[in-house]
């Protein structure tokens, strides 16, 4: 068995700047983002690019993107440390994933 793992990096879909009363964390997707995220999900499924686990920031736009991808991946794990994380923090999250997962997004 290979020790090689696959890591998929995905940025949230296009978000809205139209809500000046919301914090950056709470900004939702805009119309284009809500349209593009499902399309990206279709493209990922068509390519067979399906991770075994998705680790997602709980920021509104990231959460909405993960849901709209509709990849049918469980578990969908929310990790607050991902929001505005440094490379070192992201590596810590990656290294903390259970070894049973051969791929993660």
């Amino acid at each position: 068995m290979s020790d090689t793992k696959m890591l998929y990096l995905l940025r949230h879909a296009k978000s809205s700047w139209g809500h000046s009363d919301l914090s950056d964390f709470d900004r939702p997707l805009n119309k284009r983002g809500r349209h593009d995220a499902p399309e990206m999900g279709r493209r990922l499924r068509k390519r067979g690019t399906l991770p075994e686990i998705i680790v997602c920031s709980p920021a509104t736009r990231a959460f909405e993107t993960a849901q709209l991808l509709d990849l049918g991946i469980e578990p969908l794990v929310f990790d607050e440390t991902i929001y505005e994380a440094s490379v070192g923090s992201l590596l810590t999250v990656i290294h903390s994933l259970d070894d049973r997962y051969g791929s993660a997004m």
Side-chain angles (χ1 to χ4, degrees):
M1 182 171 176
S2 172
D3 289 335
T4 302
K5 309 259 184 186
M6 180 63 70
L7 177 65
Y8 301 101
L9 299 178
L10 180 75
R11 189 173 191 275
H12 62 78
K14 187 77 172 159
S15 60
S16 174
W17 288 95
H19 303 277
S20 60
D21 57 323
L22 294 178
S23 70
D24 181 67
F25 186 88
D26 294 324
R27 283 190 303 115
L29 295 180
N30 66 14
K31 183 177 178 180
R32 180 175 146 200
R34 289 188 305 276
H35 172 270
D36 290 351
E39 174 61 25
M40 181 56 68
R42 284 188 287 279
R43 291 179 185 194
L44 292 169
R45 285 189 304 277
K46 184 176 179 179
R47 291 181 59 142
T49 306
L50 298 174
E52 295 174 63
I53 184 173
I54 296 175
V55 182
C56 181
S57 164
T60 300
R61 61 192 176 275
F63 174 75
E64 287 180 326
T65 299
Q67 287 188 313
L68 289 170
L69 288 174
D70 194 26
L71 296 179
I73 306 299
E74 293 294 331
L76 174 57
V77 177
F78 294 98
D79 188 327
E80 292 180 14
T81 64
I82 292 175
Y83 180 73
E84 294 188 335
S86 67
V87 171
S89 294
L90 292 174
L91 287 171
T92 298
V93 170
I94 293 164
H95 290 296
S96 71
L97 294 175
D98 193 308
D99 283 339
R100 69 181 168 176
Y101 298 115
S103 62
M105 178 178 285

